[in-house]
Amino acid sequence: MHAEENKNGAGTEAPHPDEATQAAPDPQVESAPADEAVRLKEQVSQLKDQLLRALAETENVRRRAERDREEASKFAVGKFARDMVSVADNLRRALEAVLPEQRSADSALENLMVGIEATERQLSAALERAGIQRMEALGQPFDPNFHQVMFEVENSGKPGGTIVQVLQDGYTISGRLLREAMVGVAKRDGSEAPGHLDTHA
């Protein structure tokens, strides 16, 4: 009889419910750790990108601040520099106001002129140390970026637009225009190419 039961399978025990659950694991449970790993990986990538952006922005801010500090240091003396070149103008006018024969005829005047010349040289050296340079304008072509034309001169024998007289020297500070030169230029004749001069006569 037992043989018949085993043959027909009537004597086989049914699997326990817990054992059936273990035998067929839930696919959602298995995929949960994988999904979490992907999410964490994406989060790490985002944080890394944000960090790199923050570092780049910090470096840009540092460079801008350094550049602004250099610019402020370089050009903060602009007004003072313009005042000093005005002093240089007055010294030059004083020297040009006295004729050579007047100097040679009066020893006191000669001594005064020698003192003014020495002061002018010292001032010029101080300006150069501060990055302030006088521009050579005489004989140069007119450049509206650096020159202000006060008048035109006819029959100068120079090509039109050439600076033939300097009324006031121009200066630069650290390569940047501090004060434009006031000049007179040769007038163009009919045979020369037309050109525009910004005259302020």
Side-chain angles (χ1 to χ4, degrees), residues 81-98 112-113 115-117 119-121 123-124 127 134 167-169 171 179:
R82 282 188 288 273
D83 291 340
M84 289 300 98
V85 298
S86 295
V87 174
D89 291 339
N90 291 330
L91 289 174
R92 177 44 45 185
R93 291 189 187 102
L95 291 171
E96 292 175 349
V98 180
L112 176 61
M113 292 297 101
I116 294 176
E117 288 171 344
T119 302
E120 184 186 43
R121 287 193 299 270
L123 178 59
S124 295
L127 292 176
R134 184 175 67 86
L167 302 180
Q168 178 177 274
D169 287 322
Y171 286 85
R179 188 185 73 182

PDB file of all heavy atoms in Angstrom, residues 81-98 112-113 115-117 119-121 123-124 127 134 167-169 171 179:
ATOM      1  N   ALA A  81      48.481 112.999 -10.953  1.00  0.00           N
ATOM      2  CA  ALA A  81      49.416 113.015 -12.078  1.00  0.00           C
ATOM      3  C   ALA A  81      49.098 114.172 -13.015  1.00  0.00           C
ATOM      4  O   ALA A  81      50.010 114.853 -13.512  1.00  0.00           O
ATOM      5  CB  ALA A  81      49.358 111.689 -12.829  1.00  0.00           C
ATOM      6  N   ARG A  82      47.822 114.420 -13.283  1.00  0.00           N
ATOM      7  CA  ARG A  82      47.453 115.544 -14.159  1.00  0.00           C
ATOM      8  C   ARG A  82      47.871 116.881 -13.537  1.00  0.00           C
ATOM      9  O   ARG A  82      48.290 117.809 -14.253  1.00  0.00           O
ATOM     10  CB  ARG A  82      45.950 115.517 -14.452  1.00  0.00           C
ATOM     11  CG  ARG A  82      45.558 114.494 -15.513  1.00  0.00           C
ATOM     12  CD  ARG A  82      44.105 114.633 -15.908  1.00  0.00           C
ATOM     13  NE  ARG A  82      43.210 114.165 -14.863  1.00  0.00           N
ATOM     14  CZ  ARG A  82      42.817 112.899 -14.741  1.00  0.00           C
ATOM     15  NH1 ARG A  82      43.234 111.984 -15.597  1.00  0.00           N
ATOM     16  NH2 ARG A  82      41.998 112.536 -13.766  1.00  0.00           N
ATOM     17  N   ASP A  83      47.753 116.978 -12.224  1.00  0.00           N
ATOM     18  CA  ASP A  83      48.206 118.202 -11.552  1.00  0.00           C
ATOM     19  C   ASP A  83      49.717 118.369 -11.710  1.00  0.00           C
ATOM     20  O   ASP A  83      50.211 119.482 -11.924  1.00  0.00           O
ATOM     21  CB  ASP A  83      47.841 118.166 -10.066  1.00  0.00           C
ATOM     22  CG  ASP A  83      46.346 118.280  -9.830  1.00  0.00           C
ATOM     23  OD1 ASP A  83      45.636 118.761 -10.749  1.00  0.00           O
ATOM     24  OD2 ASP A  83      45.875 117.892  -8.744  1.00  0.00           O
ATOM     25  N   MET A  84      50.457 117.270 -11.621  1.00  0.00           N
ATOM     26  CA  MET A  84      51.913 117.342 -11.726  1.00  0.00           C
ATOM     27  C   MET A  84      52.373 117.705 -13.134  1.00  0.00           C
ATOM     28  O   MET A  84      53.332 118.456 -13.300  1.00  0.00           O
ATOM     29  CB  MET A  84      52.532 116.019 -11.297  1.00  0.00           C
ATOM     30  CG  MET A  84      52.444 115.732  -9.804  1.00  0.00           C
ATOM     31  SD  MET A  84      53.288 116.979  -8.783  1.00  0.00           S
ATOM     32  CE  MET A  84      51.912 118.049  -8.289  1.00  0.00           C
ATOM     33  N   VAL A  85      51.684 117.201 -14.155  1.00  0.00           N
ATOM     34  CA  VAL A  85      52.099 117.561 -15.514  1.00  0.00           C
ATOM     35  C   VAL A  85      51.763 119.018 -15.803  1.00  0.00           C
ATOM     36  O   VAL A  85      52.425 119.666 -16.633  1.00  0.00           O
ATOM     37  CB  VAL A  85      51.484 116.613 -16.573  1.00  0.00           C
ATOM     38  CG1 VAL A  85      51.960 115.193 -16.359  1.00  0.00           C
ATOM     39  CG2 VAL A  85      49.970 116.700 -16.594  1.00  0.00           C
ATOM     40  N   SER A  86      50.776 119.563 -15.103  1.00  0.00           N
ATOM     41  CA  SER A  86      50.500 120.993 -15.227  1.00  0.00           C
ATOM     42  C   SER A  86      51.647 121.807 -14.639  1.00  0.00           C
ATOM     43  O   SER A  86      52.007 122.874 -15.168  1.00  0.00           O
ATOM     44  CB  SER A  86      49.188 121.353 -14.526  1.00  0.00           C
ATOM     45  OG  SER A  86      48.084 120.732 -15.171  1.00  0.00           O
ATOM     46  N   VAL A  87      52.230 121.315 -13.551  1.00  0.00           N
ATOM     47  CA  VAL A  87      53.417 121.964 -12.979  1.00  0.00           C
ATOM     48  C   VAL A  87      54.570 121.913 -13.977  1.00  0.00           C
ATOM     49  O   VAL A  87      55.291 122.902 -14.178  1.00  0.00           O
ATOM     50  CB  VAL A  87      53.815 121.293 -11.656  1.00  0.00           C
ATOM     51  CG1 VAL A  87      55.130 121.868 -11.139  1.00  0.00           C
ATOM     52  CG2 VAL A  87      52.721 121.468 -10.611  1.00  0.00           C
ATOM     53  N   ALA A  88      54.726 120.759 -14.634  1.00  0.00           N
ATOM     54  CA  ALA A  88      55.767 120.632 -15.662  1.00  0.00           C
ATOM     55  C   ALA A  88      55.538 121.629 -16.792  1.00  0.00           C
ATOM     56  O   ALA A  88      56.498 122.217 -17.325  1.00  0.00           O
ATOM     57  CB  ALA A  88      55.797 119.208 -16.196  1.00  0.00           C
ATOM     58  N   ASP A  89      54.273 121.846 -17.168  1.00  0.00           N
ATOM     59  CA  ASP A  89      53.956 122.835 -18.206  1.00  0.00           C
ATOM     60  C   ASP A  89      54.442 124.218 -17.794  1.00  0.00           C
ATOM     61  O   ASP A  89      55.053 124.956 -18.599  1.00  0.00           O
ATOM     62  CB  ASP A  89      52.441 122.901 -18.440  1.00  0.00           C
ATOM     63  CG  ASP A  89      51.898 121.630 -19.092  1.00  0.00           C
ATOM     64  OD1 ASP A  89      52.691 120.896 -19.701  1.00  0.00           O
ATOM     65  OD2 ASP A  89      50.684 121.406 -18.983  1.00  0.00           O
ATOM     66  N   ASN A  90      54.186 124.595 -16.553  1.00  0.00           N
ATOM     67  CA  ASN A  90      54.551 125.931 -16.084  1.00  0.00           C
ATOM     68  C   ASN A  90      56.067 126.115 -16.023  1.00  0.00           C
ATOM     69  O   ASN A  90      56.584 127.198 -16.348  1.00  0.00           O
ATOM     70  CB  ASN A  90      53.927 126.203 -14.716  1.00  0.00           C
ATOM     71  CG  ASN A  90      52.411 126.354 -14.792  1.00  0.00           C
ATOM     72  OD1 ASN A  90      51.871 126.801 -15.817  1.00  0.00           O
ATOM     73  ND2 ASN A  90      51.712 125.983 -13.732  1.00  0.00           N
ATOM     74  N   LEU A  91      56.775 125.074 -15.622  1.00  0.00           N
ATOM     75  CA  LEU A  91      58.231 125.154 -15.610  1.00  0.00           C
ATOM     76  C   LEU A  91      58.769 125.352 -17.026  1.00  0.00           C
ATOM     77  O   LEU A  91      59.686 126.158 -17.264  1.00  0.00           O
ATOM     78  CB  LEU A  91      58.825 123.893 -14.991  1.00  0.00           C
ATOM     79  CG  LEU A  91      58.637 123.723 -13.475  1.00  0.00           C
ATOM     80  CD1 LEU A  91      59.149 122.359 -13.025  1.00  0.00           C
ATOM     81  CD2 LEU A  91      59.340 124.835 -12.713  1.00  0.00           C
ATOM     82  N   ARG A  92      58.204 124.608 -17.998  1.00  0.00           N
ATOM     83  CA  ARG A  92      58.640 124.738 -19.381  1.00  0.00           C
ATOM     84  C   ARG A  92      58.331 126.140 -19.921  1.00  0.00           C
ATOM     85  O   ARG A  92      59.151 126.743 -20.622  1.00  0.00           O
ATOM     86  CB  ARG A  92      57.940 123.654 -20.214  1.00  0.00           C
ATOM     87  CG  ARG A  92      58.188 123.643 -21.699  1.00  0.00           C
ATOM     88  CD  ARG A  92      59.608 123.835 -22.148  1.00  0.00           C
ATOM     89  NE  ARG A  92      60.603 123.072 -21.415  1.00  0.00           N
ATOM     90  CZ  ARG A  92      61.916 123.187 -21.614  1.00  0.00           C
ATOM     91  NH1 ARG A  92      62.373 124.035 -22.533  1.00  0.00           N
ATOM     92  NH2 ARG A  92      62.764 122.494 -20.909  1.00  0.00           N
ATOM     93  N   ARG A  93      57.176 126.693 -19.578  1.00  0.00           N
ATOM     94  CA  ARG A  93      56.826 128.038 -20.036  1.00  0.00           C
ATOM     95  C   ARG A  93      57.793 129.076 -19.463  1.00  0.00           C
ATOM     96  O   ARG A  93      58.180 130.041 -20.144  1.00  0.00           O
ATOM     97  CB  ARG A  93      55.390 128.383 -19.628  1.00  0.00           C
ATOM     98  CG  ARG A  93      54.324 127.578 -20.354  1.00  0.00           C
ATOM     99  CD  ARG A  93      52.926 128.116 -20.069  1.00  0.00           C
ATOM    100  NE  ARG A  93      51.896 127.241 -20.628  1.00  0.00           N
ATOM    101  CZ  ARG A  93      51.181 126.381 -19.913  1.00  0.00           C
ATOM    102  NH1 ARG A  93      51.374 126.281 -18.592  1.00  0.00           N
ATOM    103  NH2 ARG A  93      50.279 125.622 -20.492  1.00  0.00           N
ATOM    104  N   ALA A  94      58.163 128.885 -18.195  1.00  0.00           N
ATOM    105  CA  ALA A  94      59.113 129.817 -17.570  1.00  0.00           C
ATOM    106  C   ALA A  94      60.457 129.784 -18.285  1.00  0.00           C
ATOM    107  O   ALA A  94      61.079 130.836 -18.522  1.00  0.00           O
ATOM    108  CB  ALA A  94      59.292 129.462 -16.101  1.00  0.00           C
ATOM    109  N   LEU A  95      60.920 128.597 -18.661  1.00  0.00           N
ATOM    110  CA  LEU A  95      62.193 128.478 -19.362  1.00  0.00           C
ATOM    111  C   LEU A  95      62.130 129.080 -20.756  1.00  0.00           C
ATOM    112  O   LEU A  95      63.084 129.714 -21.225  1.00  0.00           O
ATOM    113  CB  LEU A  95      62.608 127.004 -19.437  1.00  0.00           C
ATOM    114  CG  LEU A  95      63.003 126.359 -18.101  1.00  0.00           C
ATOM    115  CD1 LEU A  95      63.174 124.849 -18.264  1.00  0.00           C
ATOM    116  CD2 LEU A  95      64.278 126.988 -17.560  1.00  0.00           C
ATOM    117  N   GLU A  96      60.993 128.874 -21.435  1.00  0.00           N
ATOM    118  CA  GLU A  96      60.870 129.379 -22.804  1.00  0.00           C
ATOM    119  C   GLU A  96      60.613 130.885 -22.855  1.00  0.00           C
ATOM    120  O   GLU A  96      60.790 131.515 -23.905  1.00  0.00           O
ATOM    121  CB  GLU A  96      59.737 128.634 -23.524  1.00  0.00           C
ATOM    122  CG  GLU A  96      60.046 127.164 -23.771  1.00  0.00           C
ATOM    123  CD  GLU A  96      58.867 126.418 -24.376  1.00  0.00           C
ATOM    124  OE1 GLU A  96      57.756 127.013 -24.389  1.00  0.00           O
ATOM    125  OE2 GLU A  96      59.048 125.264 -24.814  1.00  0.00           O
ATOM    126  N   ALA A  97      60.220 131.460 -21.721  1.00  0.00           N
ATOM    127  CA  ALA A  97      59.920 132.898 -21.703  1.00  0.00           C
ATOM    128  C   ALA A  97      61.179 133.753 -21.688  1.00  0.00           C
ATOM    129  O   ALA A  97      61.112 134.963 -21.994  1.00  0.00           O
ATOM    130  CB  ALA A  97      59.055 133.224 -20.494  1.00  0.00           C
ATOM    131  N   VAL A  98      62.313 133.183 -21.338  1.00  0.00           N
ATOM    132  CA  VAL A  98      63.559 133.940 -21.238  1.00  0.00           C
ATOM    133  C   VAL A  98      64.451 133.597 -22.425  1.00  0.00           C
ATOM    134  O   VAL A  98      64.758 132.418 -22.661  1.00  0.00           O
ATOM    135  CB  VAL A  98      64.284 133.633 -19.910  1.00  0.00           C
ATOM    136  CG1 VAL A  98      65.585 134.428 -19.824  1.00  0.00           C
ATOM    137  CG2 VAL A  98      63.378 133.961 -18.730  1.00  0.00           C
ATOM    138  N   LEU A 112      68.914 131.705 -11.894  1.00  0.00           N
ATOM    139  CA  LEU A 112      67.506 131.328 -11.694  1.00  0.00           C
ATOM    140  C   LEU A 112      67.086 130.285 -12.725  1.00  0.00           C
ATOM    141  O   LEU A 112      66.427 129.298 -12.390  1.00  0.00           O
ATOM    142  CB  LEU A 112      66.624 132.575 -11.794  1.00  0.00           C
ATOM    143  CG  LEU A 112      65.114 132.318 -11.704  1.00  0.00           C
ATOM    144  CD1 LEU A 112      64.743 131.694 -10.369  1.00  0.00           C
ATOM    145  CD2 LEU A 112      64.336 133.617 -11.944  1.00  0.00           C
ATOM    146  N   MET A 113      67.457 130.491 -13.983  1.00  0.00           N
ATOM    147  CA  MET A 113      67.096 129.557 -15.044  1.00  0.00           C
ATOM    148  C   MET A 113      67.747 128.188 -14.825  1.00  0.00           C
ATOM    149  O   MET A 113      67.128 127.149 -15.085  1.00  0.00           O
ATOM    150  CB  MET A 113      67.507 130.120 -16.401  1.00  0.00           C
ATOM    151  CG  MET A 113      66.729 131.335 -16.865  1.00  0.00           C
ATOM    152  SD  MET A 113      64.952 131.019 -17.118  1.00  0.00           S
ATOM    153  CE  MET A 113      64.262 131.703 -15.597  1.00  0.00           C
ATOM    154  N   GLY A 115      68.422 126.875 -11.972  1.00  0.00           N
ATOM    155  CA  GLY A 115      67.641 126.237 -10.909  1.00  0.00           C
ATOM    156  C   GLY A 115      66.324 125.676 -11.424  1.00  0.00           C
ATOM    157  O   GLY A 115      65.894 124.581 -11.042  1.00  0.00           O
ATOM    158  N   ILE A 116      65.664 126.427 -12.309  1.00  0.00           N
ATOM    159  CA  ILE A 116      64.399 125.946 -12.876  1.00  0.00           C
ATOM    160  C   ILE A 116      64.639 124.718 -13.750  1.00  0.00           C
ATOM    161  O   ILE A 116      63.853 123.759 -13.729  1.00  0.00           O
ATOM    162  CB  ILE A 116      63.716 127.075 -13.690  1.00  0.00           C
ATOM    163  CG1 ILE A 116      63.287 128.211 -12.755  1.00  0.00           C
ATOM    164  CG2 ILE A 116      62.504 126.537 -14.440  1.00  0.00           C
ATOM    165  CD1 ILE A 116      62.688 129.411 -13.473  1.00  0.00           C
ATOM    166  N   GLU A 117      65.714 124.719 -14.513  1.00  0.00           N
ATOM    167  CA  GLU A 117      66.050 123.557 -15.343  1.00  0.00           C
ATOM    168  C   GLU A 117      66.294 122.323 -14.492  1.00  0.00           C
ATOM    169  O   GLU A 117      65.853 121.218 -14.828  1.00  0.00           O
ATOM    170  CB  GLU A 117      67.282 123.874 -16.199  1.00  0.00           C
ATOM    171  CG  GLU A 117      66.991 124.846 -17.330  1.00  0.00           C
ATOM    172  CD  GLU A 117      68.259 125.316 -18.027  1.00  0.00           C
ATOM    173  OE1 GLU A 117      69.358 125.137 -17.442  1.00  0.00           O
ATOM    174  OE2 GLU A 117      68.156 125.867 -19.140  1.00  0.00           O
ATOM    175  N   THR A 119      65.047 121.762 -11.527  1.00  0.00           N
ATOM    176  CA  THR A 119      63.741 121.362 -10.984  1.00  0.00           C
ATOM    177  C   THR A 119      62.931 120.606 -12.030  1.00  0.00           C
ATOM    178  O   THR A 119      62.279 119.591 -11.720  1.00  0.00           O
ATOM    179  CB  THR A 119      62.960 122.602 -10.515  1.00  0.00           C
ATOM    180  OG1 THR A 119      63.722 123.305  -9.535  1.00  0.00           O
ATOM    181  CG2 THR A 119      61.619 122.200  -9.917  1.00  0.00           C
ATOM    182  N   GLU A 120      62.981 121.072 -13.263  1.00  0.00           N
ATOM    183  CA  GLU A 120      62.262 120.397 -14.338  1.00  0.00           C
ATOM    184  C   GLU A 120      62.783 118.982 -14.552  1.00  0.00           C
ATOM    185  O   GLU A 120      62.002 118.036 -14.730  1.00  0.00           O
ATOM    186  CB  GLU A 120      62.371 121.198 -15.631  1.00  0.00           C
ATOM    187  CG  GLU A 120      61.556 120.605 -16.782  1.00  0.00           C
ATOM    188  CD  GLU A 120      61.785 121.309 -18.098  1.00  0.00           C
ATOM    189  OE1 GLU A 120      62.960 121.601 -18.398  1.00  0.00           O
ATOM    190  OE2 GLU A 120      60.806 121.558 -18.819  1.00  0.00           O
ATOM    191  N   ARG A 121      64.100 118.817 -14.512  1.00  0.00           N
ATOM    192  CA  ARG A 121      64.684 117.481 -14.685  1.00  0.00           C
ATOM    193  C   ARG A 121      64.266 116.548 -13.555  1.00  0.00           C
ATOM    194  O   ARG A 121      63.943 115.381 -13.786  1.00  0.00           O
ATOM    195  CB  ARG A 121      66.211 117.575 -14.756  1.00  0.00           C
ATOM    196  CG  ARG A 121      66.735 118.164 -16.062  1.00  0.00           C
ATOM    197  CD  ARG A 121      68.233 117.930 -16.208  1.00  0.00           C
ATOM    198  NE  ARG A 121      68.976 118.573 -15.135  1.00  0.00           N
ATOM    199  CZ  ARG A 121      69.443 119.830 -15.190  1.00  0.00           C
ATOM    200  NH1 ARG A 121      69.208 120.574 -16.267  1.00  0.00           N
ATOM    201  NH2 ARG A 121      70.133 120.341 -14.183  1.00  0.00           N
ATOM    202  N   LEU A 123      61.575 116.776 -11.704  1.00  0.00           N
ATOM    203  CA  LEU A 123      60.148 116.482 -11.842  1.00  0.00           C
ATOM    204  C   LEU A 123      59.927 115.452 -12.947  1.00  0.00           C
ATOM    205  O   LEU A 123      59.137 114.513 -12.785  1.00  0.00           O
ATOM    206  CB  LEU A 123      59.367 117.757 -12.146  1.00  0.00           C
ATOM    207  CG  LEU A 123      57.859 117.583 -12.366  1.00  0.00           C
ATOM    208  CD1 LEU A 123      57.197 116.956 -11.147  1.00  0.00           C
ATOM    209  CD2 LEU A 123      57.203 118.927 -12.700  1.00  0.00           C
ATOM    210  N   SER A 124      60.627 115.602 -14.065  1.00  0.00           N
ATOM    211  CA  SER A 124      60.493 114.650 -15.173  1.00  0.00           C
ATOM    212  C   SER A 124      60.907 113.249 -14.733  1.00  0.00           C
ATOM    213  O   SER A 124      60.238 112.258 -15.070  1.00  0.00           O
ATOM    214  CB  SER A 124      61.350 115.097 -16.356  1.00  0.00           C
ATOM    215  OG  SER A 124      60.885 116.325 -16.879  1.00  0.00           O
ATOM    216  N   LEU A 127      58.163 111.802 -12.526  1.00  0.00           N
ATOM    217  CA  LEU A 127      57.006 111.394 -13.330  1.00  0.00           C
ATOM    218  C   LEU A 127      57.281 110.063 -14.029  1.00  0.00           C
ATOM    219  O   LEU A 127      56.419 109.176 -14.068  1.00  0.00           O
ATOM    220  CB  LEU A 127      56.669 112.462 -14.359  1.00  0.00           C
ATOM    221  CG  LEU A 127      56.132 113.799 -13.809  1.00  0.00           C
ATOM    222  CD1 LEU A 127      55.938 114.804 -14.934  1.00  0.00           C
ATOM    223  CD2 LEU A 127      54.834 113.599 -13.040  1.00  0.00           C
ATOM    224  N   ARG A 134      55.926 111.593 -21.236  1.00  0.00           N
ATOM    225  CA  ARG A 134      55.525 112.649 -22.169  1.00  0.00           C
ATOM    226  C   ARG A 134      55.542 112.077 -23.580  1.00  0.00           C
ATOM    227  O   ARG A 134      56.458 111.367 -23.963  1.00  0.00           O
ATOM    228  CB  ARG A 134      56.485 113.835 -22.075  1.00  0.00           C
ATOM    229  CG  ARG A 134      56.086 115.026 -22.942  1.00  0.00           C
ATOM    230  CD  ARG A 134      57.033 116.200 -22.703  1.00  0.00           C
ATOM    231  NE  ARG A 134      58.379 115.884 -23.188  1.00  0.00           N
ATOM    232  CZ  ARG A 134      58.789 116.064 -24.439  1.00  0.00           C
ATOM    233  NH1 ARG A 134      57.937 116.543 -25.357  1.00  0.00           N
ATOM    234  NH2 ARG A 134      60.017 115.759 -24.793  1.00  0.00           N
ATOM    235  N   LEU A 167      51.200 122.952 -28.621  1.00  0.00           N
ATOM    236  CA  LEU A 167      50.832 123.983 -27.654  1.00  0.00           C
ATOM    237  C   LEU A 167      50.898 123.444 -26.229  1.00  0.00           C
ATOM    238  O   LEU A 167      51.214 124.187 -25.298  1.00  0.00           O
ATOM    239  CB  LEU A 167      49.418 124.491 -27.937  1.00  0.00           C
ATOM    240  CG  LEU A 167      49.177 125.068 -29.342  1.00  0.00           C
ATOM    241  CD1 LEU A 167      47.736 125.533 -29.468  1.00  0.00           C
ATOM    242  CD2 LEU A 167      50.140 126.203 -29.639  1.00  0.00           C
ATOM    243  N   GLN A 168      50.568 122.181 -26.075  1.00  0.00           N
ATOM    244  CA  GLN A 168      50.612 121.549 -24.758  1.00  0.00           C
ATOM    245  C   GLN A 168      50.951 120.086 -24.932  1.00  0.00           C
ATOM    246  O   GLN A 168      50.329 119.391 -25.732  1.00  0.00           O
ATOM    247  CB  GLN A 168      49.254 121.693 -24.057  1.00  0.00           C
ATOM    248  CG  GLN A 168      49.180 121.026 -22.688  1.00  0.00           C
ATOM    249  CD  GLN A 168      47.841 121.257 -22.015  1.00  0.00           C
ATOM    250  OE1 GLN A 168      47.640 122.267 -21.348  1.00  0.00           O
ATOM    251  NE2 GLN A 168      46.912 120.334 -22.206  1.00  0.00           N
ATOM    252  N   ASP A 169      51.975 119.632 -24.209  1.00  0.00           N
ATOM    253  CA  ASP A 169      52.402 118.244 -24.334  1.00  0.00           C
ATOM    254  C   ASP A 169      51.323 117.287 -23.833  1.00  0.00           C
ATOM    255  O   ASP A 169      50.571 117.595 -22.897  1.00  0.00           O
ATOM    256  CB  ASP A 169      53.686 117.997 -23.525  1.00  0.00           C
ATOM    257  CG  ASP A 169      54.907 118.625 -24.175  1.00  0.00           C
ATOM    258  OD1 ASP A 169      54.987 118.601 -25.418  1.00  0.00           O
ATOM    259  OD2 ASP A 169      55.771 119.145 -23.441  1.00  0.00           O
ATOM    260  N   TYR A 171      50.486 113.344 -22.310  1.00  0.00           N
ATOM    261  CA  TYR A 171      51.142 112.380 -21.422  1.00  0.00           C
ATOM    262  C   TYR A 171      50.342 111.083 -21.368  1.00  0.00           C
ATOM    263  O   TYR A 171      49.108 111.084 -21.523  1.00  0.00           O
ATOM    264  CB  TYR A 171      51.267 112.930 -19.999  1.00  0.00           C
ATOM    265  CG  TYR A 171      52.318 114.004 -19.835  1.00  0.00           C
ATOM    266  CD1 TYR A 171      52.025 115.342 -20.116  1.00  0.00           C
ATOM    267  CD2 TYR A 171      53.599 113.698 -19.395  1.00  0.00           C
ATOM    268  CE1 TYR A 171      52.983 116.342 -19.963  1.00  0.00           C
ATOM    269  CE2 TYR A 171      54.568 114.683 -19.235  1.00  0.00           C
ATOM    270  CZ  TYR A 171      54.250 116.002 -19.524  1.00  0.00           C
ATOM    271  OH  TYR A 171      55.207 116.984 -19.374  1.00  0.00           O
ATOM    272  N   ARG A 179      46.654 112.656 -20.672  1.00  0.00           N
ATOM    273  CA  ARG A 179      46.212 113.943 -21.195  1.00  0.00           C
ATOM    274  C   ARG A 179      46.610 114.030 -22.657  1.00  0.00           C
ATOM    275  O   ARG A 179      47.756 113.762 -23.011  1.00  0.00           O
ATOM    276  CB  ARG A 179      46.846 115.083 -20.402  1.00  0.00           C
ATOM    277  CG  ARG A 179      46.291 116.454 -20.747  1.00  0.00           C
ATOM    278  CD  ARG A 179      47.019 117.556 -20.028  1.00  0.00           C
ATOM    279  NE  ARG A 179      48.357 117.794 -20.565  1.00  0.00           N
ATOM    280  CZ  ARG A 179      49.218 118.686 -20.078  1.00  0.00           C
ATOM    281  NH1 ARG A 179      48.891 119.373 -19.004  1.00  0.00           N
ATOM    282  NH2 ARG A 179      50.402 118.847 -20.635  1.00  0.00           N
TER     283      ARG A 179
END
